[in-house]
Amino acid sequence: MEREMKILIVGAMGTLGKAVAAELGQRHELVTAGRASGDIRLDLTDRASMEATLARLGPLDAVVSAAGNVAFGALMEMDEGQWALGLRDKLMGQVNLALSAAKVLTDGGSITLTTGVLAEQPIRYGAAASMVNAGVQGFVRAAALELPRGLRINAVSPGVLVESMPGYAPWFRGFEPVPAARAALGFSRSVEGADTGQVYRID
């Protein structure tokens, strides 16, 4: 019989996060988090605050990230701040979330991070996103070897979302968009399955 879990979803108010919450919320207790909305406030770029927040929440069975910002721009015109945005937020923010989560998760608990299609299929103006997404995937594979207490970690790599196409279409010509609800199934597979060190590509 399936066990109800207590799951923290970071970025739960975003397009992807809402779909993940709708999928997992059918069966589990959710705590939603975001910079400006949700049950609690959580900033991926502030590790000390993030650790304190997770410690206050007490034991969790799973932590899911559907968050992370990157900058898009022409390769030779990107400034240091634009490169740093993705490194600080989507890459190190999720790395620090995973490390913080490992301290409060129950034995055998899971961590699920978000990467994206640009890790394997780069586009013009997306070099920073490709770099960061590939970094997240590399971290997940390596962290799976060392996490204690039977903890698991995976990543979900969705294609560009159908719901995001109004804003992203000019950069993703020829890509088949993915409904957010289908992308959310990858998070269900990670949280409710048994794998670790995997990257689930949803395309």
Side-chain angles (χ1 to χ4, degrees):
M1 187 172 183
E2 194 168 51
R3 178 177 67 90
E4 182 181 13
M5 291 184 273
K6 183 179 180 181
I7 304 171
L8 172 66
I9 301 182
V10 181
M13 297 300 108
T15 302
L16 179 59
K18 286 179 181 177
V20 174
E23 171 65 28
L24 293 174
Q26 300 175 65
R27 299 174 293 280
H28 305 290
E29 175 190 353
L30 303 184
V31 180
T32 60
R35 280 194 177 91
S37 58
D39 298 323
I40 60 172
R41 300 293 175 266
L42 193 146
D43 184 348
L44 285 179
T45 65
D46 187 342
R47 180 173 179 175
S49 173
M50 185 158 49
E51 287 195 343
T53 298
L54 290 176
R56 286 196 302 273
L57 282 177
L60 295 164
D61 298 299
V63 171
V64 169
S65 173
N69 295 311
V70 295
F72 286 81
L75 178 69
M76 301 306 293
E77 296 173 11
M78 295 267 284
D79 61 31
E80 187 172 345
Q82 289 173 297
W83 290 104
L85 172 64
L87 292 170
R88 183 179 66 250
D89 194 308
K90 189 170 186 180
L91 178 54
M92 285 310 302
Q94 292 195 103
V95 167
N96 286 329
L97 176 65
L99 297 175
S100 300
K103 298 177 182 178
V104 301
L105 283 167
T106 56
D107 290 355
S110 72
I111 301 161
T112 309
L113 306 183
T114 296
T115 170
V117 65
L118 298 187
E120 285 89 22
Q121 300 180 46
I123 59 170
R124 289 191 183 96
Y125 311 118
S130 291
M131 174 182 69
V132 166
N133 287 342
V136 172
Q137 294 181 184
F139 169 75
V140 162
R141 293 189 182 100
L145 302 177
E146 296 189 58
L147 283 173
R149 301 185 292 108
L151 299 179
R152 301 183 298 106
I153 185 169
N154 299 296
V156 178
S157 177
V160 60
L161 300 179
V162 169
E163 294 84 349
S164 300
M165 283 301 278
Y168 285 102
W171 291 282
F172 286 89
R173 298 299 184 199
F175 284 72
E176 183 176 356
V178 176
R182 180 146 64 89
L185 297 177
F187 292 85
S188 174
R189 183 177 175 186
S190 176
V191 171
E192 299 173 297
D195 288 337
T196 191
Q198 300 301 303
V199 177
Y200 302 121
R201 294 175 177 85
I202 314 294
D203 49 26

